[in-house]
Amino acid sequence: MPTAAPPGSLCRRTLLAVLASWPAVQAVAAASARPLRLLVAGVAGGAADGTTRWLAEPLANHLGQRVIVEPISGAGGLLAVNALAAAPRDAHHFLVAVNSVVSDAARAAPAEPDVGRTIAPLCEIASAPIVLLAGAEVPPDVSTVAQLAAWVRAQGRPVPYASYSDGSLGHALGRQWADRTGLRLEHVPYRGSPPALIDLEAGRVPLMFDALPSCLPQLQAGRVRAYAVSSERRSTLLPGVPTWAEAGHAELSGTAWLGLWRHRAEPPALAEPLRRAALAALQEPVLRARILAAGFEPGRDFGPAELETRVSIDVERLRRAMGTGHRPPRRGEPPAPGSKGSP
């Protein structure tokens, strides 16, 4: 017959087990107490920064820890990528950036390491079409893509078009439109959408390719006009604006998407809780409504491998559209030595 444990031995064993596991308990508690930092490749108050801040609250609830949003702009997203590279690999530092960051940063700083080898996508937060816009310089009776192309040809000179950054999808779409139609267009890259939209409204630049969330207020106020969207379907916010496919240029279809990225040296397993929490947060009705009202589509549940494939396709498309060479000067910058100007 088994002998009974001496009085108090069970309590002692339980206490010893708790003490043995205490370091692991402390580690979990410490990890939860530390904030998650999302480094946003974009200007403070911009579309990427604002969308990330909307995500931060439900994300914090799902993770059970604070989420801090830090916008870092400059060099086509490279400064934000470098900030992630300098951060510890502790599953507490991640990047939020648009898909063009891989090609955009490479064109902005060609001597820097390959961004695509530094970061890896985790999940899509939101996506948006690129809109072809016209400002005050284009006559109001020019109302279709075909009429706009005819107006460009009638100018007898290269017509400037703006985009929010060199190497962006908007930049590439302008190049593709020119190449397919023989239009004489000259790219003018800006540091973000706000200054470009100001110049578009004022007539200092006649055309622009911009992401819908950035230009939606100007469109709703009637200060700029839209001619085509790059999504496969018409936007519910711009139901009267055709897609590029409807305008006869299906090859110009494509969307910009905002995503969460990890450093490639960060083990994927450590980033998986964040990916799952972000996808769960994106199902919440309040967040989805805010994203939709801003001109985005809420992120879809693409796995990291599928996103890697999409990034590769995007980079190849941008490479074919723009080729290689010197980065043209942005507005307000002097041309670089040996530069041949805008592509």
Side-chain angles (χ1 to χ4, degrees), residues 54 212 216 236-237 285 287-298:
W54 295 341
L212 177 55
L216 185 59
T236 56
L237 296 174
L287 178 58
R288 292 181 70 85
R290 297 183 80 172
I291 290 174
L292 287 167
F296 284 109
E297 292 287 336

Side-chain angles (χ1 to χ4, degrees), residues 142-232:
V142 175
S143 59
T144 68
V145 170
Q147 291 172 350
L148 186 60
W151 179 84
V152 171
R153 290 190 181 94
Q155 302 313 297
R157 59 176 173 82
V159 172
Y161 77 94
S163 81
Y164 50 85
S165 176
D166 181 49
S168 63
L169 180 56
H171 178 184
L173 290 178
R175 286 289 296 266
Q176 284 185 284
W177 188 37
D179 291 344
R180 297 303 174 94
T181 58
L183 295 176
R184 298 173 65 193
L185 296 176
E186 180 182 13
H187 181 233
V188 182
Y190 283 74
R191 286 191 173 96
S193 293
L197 288 166
I198 290 172
D199 279 1
L200 185 70
E201 289 184 48
R204 288 187 285 270
V205 62
L207 304 175
M208 182 177 181
F209 285 82
D210 196 24
L212 177 55
S214 301
C215 62
L216 185 59
Q218 287 80 3
L219 285 168
Q220 291 173 332
R223 297 196 297 268
V224 300
R225 286 166 285 145
Y227 286 81
V229 294
S230 65
S231 48
E232 294 179 359

Side-chain angles (χ1 to χ4, degrees), residues 268-279:
L270 291 182
E272 183 60 20
L274 172 62
R275 192 183 81 86
R276 291 199 305 265
L279 291 173

